Amino acid sequence: MSSRSGSTGGGGSTGGGSSQGGGAAVPLAVLLRREVASERTASERPELHSGLFSQAKKGEDFTFLKPECERVPGVSSSPFSAFGLFDGHNGNGAAIYTKENLLNNVLSAVPADLNREDWLAALPRALVAAFVKTDKDFQTKARSSGTTVTFVIIDGLVITVASVGDSRCVLQAEGSIYHLSSDHRFDASKEEVDRVTECGGDVGRLNVVGGAEIGPLRCWPGGLCLSRSIGDQDVGEFIVPVPLVKQVKLSTAGGRLIIASDGVWDALSPEVAFNCSRELPPVPAAEQIVKTAVQSKGLRDDTTCIVVDIIVEKNNPCMPHPKKQPGIGVFKICSQEKSSDSSSHSHTDREYTEPDNVEEIFEDGCALLSRRLDSEYPVQNMFKLFICAICQVELKPNQGISVHEDSSQPGSLCRWDGPFLCQSCQEKKEAMEGKRRFTRFIKKQWVK
């Protein structure tokens, strides 16, 4: 069974305001700054063209393509796009639930009054809170299914990717390939094996008659080969929903994203995927990638691919590159090195041209919520004092529990420092860190 779809999203623009009688005159300098900011925002709104193709084996892959979203409902000058891939296992309940709820949980974790720069800086932490909330809410439904998640938010030239599991997002820009996600398979990370075993999990290969071990490393009970996912409550809370988050900014050359399930990546390398779909529009490109993967290894699993082309208008003037704010994180170039002669460019040229490479803005894959939800990380004052940082429930005075409550690291923040969690989210945090024994072990012999 195959399915395909495509969409095109145009860039948004900011409109002018109207004057009201009796108001104070706005200084010319302020108007000029607003005009420059508006032009810069418009110049960074590329066209997005997306395509989807899927061949189903189990019917557990689900996708989310929404090229036109608003971070502030009803405000057309706050647009972004969202794409997601959810590769379910042991049923489709977790994949469907995450598809239907994750974006709303992201938006509810970000204050509505942030400007665009602060919104982008707040996204990494909001995505962490949203992944954990989605997992926590789904587990109340007492279902044992799970899902990988690769969730992509595109705002202008800034791409933010959050992922758990083994679906992947890769970017091709200016002839180079960038990995914007990471496989959360035990075979791929000794650190994840150590983390799970220290929290009480048992990681090993499947034993057969005679004591031989076969197959990939798995977490027991349950036999899951992933160290992070949403759902999977029958395996153990140490299979955490805390995502790797990576944020990059494209140059005005644009780029192409491929978001695909492991049915693609088990058969094709990123280089092969981009090469076999080169110069094809997104829909036929996604179809070509899936068909090439299936031809290589057969249809052993649901095989799904989303292709997103990010196209910047050639006639857009180059605007000054935004200053790097210390609250956003450590910036570094994540493209291949290119030879350059800085002395051949004037100071004005360097200041008023976009960089010719992909810039990494932010990256973190730590599984500890005390770090990922820290009030200083990456933008201050994001979480309100009497609101749970994960589920957004209101807290009465003295009811909230600091994420640093049980921190014993030298120099760490005190337990009265925020952000704060409600009682149930604190219990979730403790279980994820192996500090609260998980007792709902259900011995089921399924494999991902």
Side-chain angles (χ1 to χ4, degrees):
M1 179 177 174
S2 302
S3 61
R4 62 173 64 84
S5 66
S7 64
T8 300
S13 61
T14 55
S18 59
S19 60
Q20 297 179 354
V26 179
L28 178 60
V30 174
L31 292 175
L32 291 175
R33 283 198 299 270
R34 289 178 181 176
E35 182 178 358
V36 169
S38 177
E39 290 176 352
R40 179 185 295 117
T41 300
S43 72
E44 290 187 355
R45 295 297 178 195
E47 285 190 1
L48 300 184
H49 301 267
S50 61
L52 162 69
F53 190 80
S54 178
Q55 288 195 0
K57 178 73 172 181
K58 303 175 183 177
E60 295 175 338
D61 275 9
F62 291 84
T63 55
F64 181 92
L65 288 79
K66 193 171 182 181
E68 296 182 3
C69 308
E70 295 175 345
R71 66 178 185 269
V72 181
V75 179
S76 60
S77 61
S78 63
F80 68 94
S81 303
F83 303 89
L85 195 153
F86 315 92
D87 181 358
H89 46 265
N90 200 29
N92 59 17
I96 293 174
Y97 184 85
T98 305
K99 171 185 175 178
E100 293 176 347
N101 293 277
L102 183 58
L103 179 58
N104 287 336
N105 290 340
V106 172
L107 294 177
S108 69
V110 182
D113 57 350
L114 295 184
N115 60 33
R116 179 173 177 257
E117 185 176 13
D118 287 343
W119 141 264
L120 289 172
L123 261 182
R125 192 166 46 183
L127 283 160
V128 172
F131 270 59
V132 177
K133 174 176 169 54
T134 303
D135 177 77
K136 177 174 175 281
D137 291 348
F138 176 72
Q139 289 190 352
T140 63
K141 300 182 179 297
R143 296 175 181 172
S144 57
S145 66
T147 186
T148 74
V149 181
T150 302
F151 200 69
V152 180
I153 290 179
I154 303 174
D155 187 325
L157 296 175
V158 178
I159 304 171
T160 309
V161 181
S163 61
V164 293
D166 57 1
S167 299
R168 296 185 204 167
C169 176
V170 291
L171 164 70
Q172 186 177 60
E174 304 168 271
S176 298
I177 294 176
Y178 310 91
H179 295 260
L180 303 186
S181 61
S182 177
D183 275 3
H184 290 125
R185 291 182 177 180
F186 289 109
D187 281 325
S189 174
K190 184 180 183 301
E191 290 182 358
E192 288 291 274
V193 173
D194 293 341
R195 178 185 63 79
V196 169
T197 54
E198 289 173 2
C199 290
D202 183 15
V203 179
R205 304 185 192 279
L206 182 66
N207 289 323
V208 296
V209 177
E213 295 184 343
I214 62 172
L217 289 173
R218 302 179 183 277
C219 183
W220 305 98
L224 187 68
C225 66
L226 304 176
S227 62
R228 304 194 193 191
S229 67
I230 285 181
D232 292 312
Q233 66 182 33
D234 58 329
V235 180
E237 292 282 359
F238 31 76
I239 304 299
V240 298
V242 182
L244 166 75
V245 179
K246 190 162 188 173
Q247 190 175 70
V248 299
K249 180 170 183 179
L250 299 179
S251 73
T252 52
R256 165 170 281 191
L257 287 173
I258 295 178
I259 310 162
S261 62
D262 62 338
V264 167
W265 304 121
D266 286 346
L268 305 180
S269 67
E271 291 79 8
V272 171
F274 281 112
N275 288 337
C276 76
S277 59
R278 192 178 304 279
E279 298 183 359
L280 292 176
V283 174
E287 180 175 357
Q288 181 63 33
I289 291 168
V290 169
K291 289 185 173 179
T292 302
V294 171
Q295 289 171 0
S296 174
K297 289 199 171 182
L299 187 61
R300 300 180 180 181
D301 193 4
D302 295 335
T303 306
T304 303
C305 180
I306 301 169
V307 174
V308 183
D309 283 345
I310 304 167
I311 303 171
V312 183
E313 292 184 23
K314 298 297 184 182
N315 58 357
N316 271 344
C318 290
M319 300 301 298
H321 190 53
K323 292 183 179 179
K324 301 168 185 177
Q325 300 296 328
I328 297 181
V330 178
F331 282 68
K332 57 183 177 181
I333 303 303
C334 64
S335 65
Q336 294 181 349
E337 291 186 4
K338 298 179 181 180
S339 60
S340 62
D341 182 3
S342 58
S343 62
S344 63
H345 300 282
S346 68
H347 174 76
T348 303
D349 290 337
R350 291 196 302 271
E351 184 177 358
Y352 289 97
T353 58
E354 291 281 357
D356 61 349
N357 42 44
V358 175
E359 257 192 317
E360 180 180 303
I361 300 174
F362 179 92
E363 179 177 4
D364 201 336
C366 178
L368 296 177
L369 285 182
S370 58
R371 167 173 163 173
R372 302 298 295 276
L373 299 179
D374 187 5
S375 60
E376 301 286 334
Y377 184 80
V379 61
Q380 298 181 20
N381 302 323
M382 174 177 163
F383 295 118
K384 297 181 180 178
L385 184 60
F386 299 117
I387 297 290
C388 174
I390 292 176
C391 69
Q392 310 305 309
V393 67
E394 290 188 11
L395 302 171
K396 295 179 180 179
N398 301 321
Q399 190 179 48
I401 304 170
S402 170
V403 294
H404 309 288
E405 172 73 25
D406 51 3
S407 178
S408 59
Q409 297 297 322
S412 63
L413 294 178
C414 300
R415 62 186 182 88
W416 51 81
D417 289 319
F420 297 93
L421 306 179
C422 66
Q423 182 64 41
S424 64
C425 286
Q426 173 66 11
E427 292 175 359
K428 171 76 173 175
K429 172 180 175 288
E430 291 176 354
M432 288 166 51
E433 296 174 355
K435 297 170 184 175
R436 178 182 293 269
R437 179 58 71 183
F438 184 76
T439 58
R440 294 173 293 172
F441 287 157
I442 304 173
K443 295 192 175 183
K444 301 177 71 173
Q445 297 304 314
W446 58 270
V447 296
K448 168 70 175 72

